[in-house]
């Protein structure tokens, strides 16, 4: 490697030393904010970048530019990547945006448990070690009518635990029409394979008959029958399949447990709000399912968790399985889930749980909010539109809403700049206009949304 030419060496002497930078007033402020070790690392990093640039023939930045680069590097390293955003898309359970926002009561319960010690695994009455497994169980039993309940960290984990504990190295009967793939490319057959259970498919893609189940039971000697609700797509046309009640009666005659994987899982009926009926947890149990599993962060409106309810002797087997510890829910999840379940118990879900408040929002209220936005921004047009539930729930189902349509130049660039706002705003583009749906904008975020829109609209107008 050739040594730098004399002129280059002279050029490099323009770079300040690390110590000189650290003695500056700016560096003292950084050290107070970011700490000395990180400030030192950022200083070395920026100076080394400048040195490498000089050796390749680039100009050396002046000292002010170097200080700005060091501060920018520090902020880049310390800025959180997980941020709250404003969802103006109209997709209620937006998987990419974290699905269900928590109620204020669930948030308060989480904070209370997070910022102090708790009785997570301590029996206050007996004064000795207890179990985290009973937290939320009584609420789930009361709401669903189940004998027992168990909370794990998500619904895929719930399915994995059930199959591992009850069907390892044995066959599980499932209809071919229910071999679903959920978000992120996770496929039910692969989850079953990971558990050690063996797939025993029955029927065809579009048609399954009760005799298909019976033949599989008689010939395959399975450990259980699994039904998976098609929560993220619909099967239409020349189709048929037996009801859960019919499957359950058949399985009972052969002393086999029936597991119903509801996916989203609802405790309230969606039909009164103009949506198709989503199978409810209570219904599955009433129709004979021995275990029902579902998500907590979809239509339930709680934190990410998987919930299993059903027969006590089966839930007890799940509790004793080694995977139960690996898949268990933490104290923050249990606190938020308990607070969310209390809303159902107190018959206040549609007033307190954001997801249900959005589903139940009257059209007149949405129109009023959209009109207020238009008046505040002094631009745009209020139009009738559609919101969706999302989150792998109620496919193709929509709710009528009112949108604020902004006719801005370069709409795709506009929504990109909205995503760069603080907090970021997520909107959609339709027919060359930026569409904002009040249904999914939380009331406490409305002012921030309007401020972000006003700033960006002013900038766009000044650039014309």
């Amino acid at each position: 490697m050739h040594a730098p030419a004399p002129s280059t060496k002279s050029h490099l002497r323009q770079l300040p030393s690390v110590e000189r930078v650290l003695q500056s007033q700016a560096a003292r402020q950084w050290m107070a904010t970011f700490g000395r070790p990180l400030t030192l690392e950022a200083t070395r990093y920026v100076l080394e970048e400048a040195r490498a640039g000089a050796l390749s023939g680039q100009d050396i930045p002046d000292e002010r530019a170097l200080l700005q680069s060091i501060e920018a590097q520090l902020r880049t390293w310390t800025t959180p990547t997980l941020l709250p955003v404003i969802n103006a898309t109209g997709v209620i359970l937006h998987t990419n945006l974290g699905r269900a926002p928590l109620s204020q009561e669930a948030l308060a319960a989480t904070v209370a448990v997070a910022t102090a010690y708790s009785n997570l695994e301590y029996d206050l009455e007996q004064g000795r070690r207890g179990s985290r497994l009973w937290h939320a169980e009584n609420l789930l039993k009361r709401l669903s009518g189940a004998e027992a309940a168990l909370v794990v960290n998500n619904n895929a984990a719930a399915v994995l635990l059930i199959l591992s504990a009850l069907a390892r190295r044995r066959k599980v009967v499932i209809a071919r029409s229910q071999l679903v793939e959920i978000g992120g490319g996770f496929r039910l057959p692969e989850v079953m394979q990971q558990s050690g259970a063996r797939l025993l498919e029955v029927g065809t893609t579009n048609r399954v008959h009760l005799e298909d189940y019976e033949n599989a039971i008689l010939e395959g000697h399975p450990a259980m029958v699994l039904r998976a609700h098609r929560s993220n797509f619909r099967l239409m046309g020349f189709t048929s399949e037996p009801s859960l009640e019919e499957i359950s009666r058949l399985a009972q005659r052969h002393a086999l447990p029936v597991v119903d994987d509801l996916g989203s899982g609802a405790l309230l009926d969606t039909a009164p709000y103009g949506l198709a009926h989503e199978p409810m947890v209570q219904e599955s149990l009433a129709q004979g399912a021995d275990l029902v599993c579902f998500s907590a962060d979809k239509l339930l409106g709680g934190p990410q968790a998987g919930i299993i309810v059903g027969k006590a002797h089966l839930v007890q087997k799940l509790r004793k399985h080694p995977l139960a510890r690996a898949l268990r829910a933490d104290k923050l999840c249990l606190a938020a889930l308990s607070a969310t379940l209390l809303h159902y118990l107190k018959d206040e879900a549609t007033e307190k749980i954001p997801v249900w408040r959005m589903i139940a929002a009257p059209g007149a209220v949405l129109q009023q909010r959209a009109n207020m936005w238009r008046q505040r921004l002094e631009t745009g047009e209020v139009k009738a539109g559609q919101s969706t539930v999302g989150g792998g729930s109620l496919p193709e189902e929509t709710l009528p809403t009112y949108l604020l349509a902004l006719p801005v130049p370069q709409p795709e660039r506009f929504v990109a700049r909205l995503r760069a706002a603080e907090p970021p705003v997520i909107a959609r583009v339709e027919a060359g206009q930026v569409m904002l749906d009040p249904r999914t904008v939380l009331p406490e975020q409305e002012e921030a949304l309007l401020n972000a829109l006003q700033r960006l609209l002013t900038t766009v107008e000044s650039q014309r």
Side-chain angles (χ1 to χ4, degrees):
M1 182 175 176
H2 297 292
S7 59
T8 304
K9 287 185 177 180
S10 174
H11 195 45
L12 289 173
R13 291 194 188 100
Q14 297 176 32
L15 279 172
S17 66
V18 171
E19 190 56 37
R20 178 178 161 187
V21 172
L22 293 179
Q23 290 176 357
S24 67
Q25 178 63 32
R28 285 194 289 272
Q29 293 175 349
W30 300 334
M31 285 187 275
T33 303
F34 304 105
R36 180 181 171 85
L38 198 62
T39 300
L40 176 60
E41 185 178 353
T43 301
R44 286 174 172 165
Y45 177 83
V46 170
L47 290 178
E48 184 55 38
E49 288 283 298
R51 176 183 174 82
L55 291 174
S56 64
Q58 299 175 19
D59 291 335
I60 289 181
D62 60 30
E63 191 161 330
R64 180 181 177 184
L66 286 170
L67 294 177
Q68 289 174 341
S69 295
I70 295 169
E71 182 173 2
Q73 192 62 56
L74 284 166
R75 296 197 181 280
T76 297
W77 284 346
T78 57
T79 297
T81 56
L82 184 58
L83 303 170
V85 305
I86 298 174
N87 176 13
T89 65
V91 181
I92 297 172
L93 291 169
H94 201 308
T95 299
N96 303 132
L97 303 184
R99 290 184 183 159
L102 297 178
S103 72
Q104 291 299 313
E105 289 78 5
L107 175 61
T110 305
V111 172
V113 167
T115 55
Y117 292 105
S118 68
N119 64 327
L120 177 65
E121 294 185 352
Y122 187 81
D123 188 324
L124 292 172
E125 185 176 339
Q126 300 294 326
R128 62 189 182 195
R129 184 187 177 114
S131 172
R132 75 176 62 203
L133 299 180
W134 68 273
H135 296 293
E137 183 180 22
N138 286 337
L139 291 169
L140 285 165
K141 287 163 59 178
R142 184 176 293 276
L143 288 166
S144 67
E147 295 176 5
L150 179 64
V151 180
V152 292
N153 57 14
N154 61 35
N155 191 49
V159 175
L160 178 64
L161 177 59
I162 291 169
L163 294 171
S164 299
L166 304 181
R168 184 168 178 79
R169 298 191 181 93
R170 298 186 65 189
K171 295 176 182 178
V172 174
V173 178
I174 185 170
R176 287 189 173 91
S177 59
Q178 297 167 12
L179 295 175
V180 299
E181 177 179 313
I182 60 176
F186 293 98
R187 297 177 174 180
L188 184 56
E190 294 171 356
V191 174
M192 296 178 72
Q193 182 180 19
Q194 186 64 35
S195 73
R198 287 182 288 164
L199 196 63
L200 184 53
E201 302 176 32
V202 298
T204 62
T205 303
N206 62 318
R207 291 179 70 83
V208 186
H209 304 288
L210 192 62
E211 63 183 27
D212 295 326
Y213 281 93
E214 186 159 25
N215 291 338
I217 291 171
L218 292 172
E219 298 171 10
H221 307 290
M224 71 168 64
V225 177
L226 175 64
R227 189 186 83 152
H229 175 50
R230 293 184 293 271
S231 57
N232 60 359
F233 75 99
R234 281 187 177 174
L235 199 61
M236 302 174 68
F238 186 60
T239 65
S240 69
E241 61 184 9
S243 68
L244 177 60
E245 190 170 5
E246 292 172 320
I247 295 170
S248 297
R249 283 201 300 265
L250 172 64
Q252 286 168 8
R253 291 202 299 270
H254 296 277
L256 288 177
V258 173
V259 177
D260 194 16
D261 174 13
L262 283 181
S264 182
L267 292 177
L268 294 181
D269 189 1
T270 52
Y273 305 100
L275 296 166
H277 176 71
E278 179 77 0
M280 296 167 62
V281 177
Q282 306 94 307
E283 293 173 339
S284 290
L285 291 169
Q287 291 166 14
D290 297 287
L291 291 176
V292 180
C293 60
F294 54 100
S295 296
D297 59 337
K298 293 185 179 181
L299 283 174
L300 188 74
Q304 178 182 300
I307 298 173
I308 305 167
V309 296
K311 298 291 178 61
H313 72 282
L314 295 176
V315 173
Q316 186 62 18
K317 287 183 180 180
L318 304 182
R319 288 174 176 153
K320 291 183 176 181
H321 193 275
L323 264 182
R325 181 176 179 85
L327 303 176
R328 67 186 184 180
D330 75 334
K331 62 183 180 181
L332 306 185
C333 169
L334 292 170
L337 177 59
S338 296
T340 303
L341 294 171
L342 275 174
H343 292 315
Y344 289 95
L345 193 63
K346 294 159 68 175
D347 194 27
E348 60 184 22
T350 54
E351 291 81 35
K352 295 294 186 72
I353 298 176
V355 164
W356 280 99
R357 197 168 63 224
M358 293 173 190
I359 290 174
V365 172
L366 298 171
Q367 187 177 26
Q368 183 181 31
R369 289 181 70 191
N371 275 315
M372 186 273 286
W373 294 0
R374 180 182 58 79
Q375 292 168 6
R376 174 83 171 266
L377 299 173
E378 298 181 335
T379 187
E381 180 185 358
V382 174
K383 294 183 174 182
Q386 300 293 325
S387 308
T388 58
V389 176
S393 305
L394 296 160
E396 297 185 350
E397 289 293 311
T398 60
L399 290 163
T401 191
Y402 287 91
L403 309 169
L404 176 61
L406 298 178
V408 296
Q410 299 179 299
E412 293 291 352
R413 184 183 178 194
F414 189 90
V415 295
R417 293 172 73 175
L418 277 177
R419 295 194 299 269
E422 293 185 11
V425 176
I426 315 299
R428 69 181 196 254
V429 175
E430 286 182 8
Q433 294 182 310
V434 174
M435 300 293 189
L436 304 156
D437 191 337
R439 187 185 295 275
T440 52
V441 175
L442 299 171
E444 58 268 28
Q445 291 184 317
E446 195 165 54
E447 190 64 25
L449 168 68
L450 294 173
N451 288 338
L453 287 168
Q454 283 179 322
R455 287 193 298 268
L456 187 50
L457 288 167
T458 299
T459 302
V460 170
E461 186 63 30
S462 66
Q463 292 174 349
R464 285 187 175 181

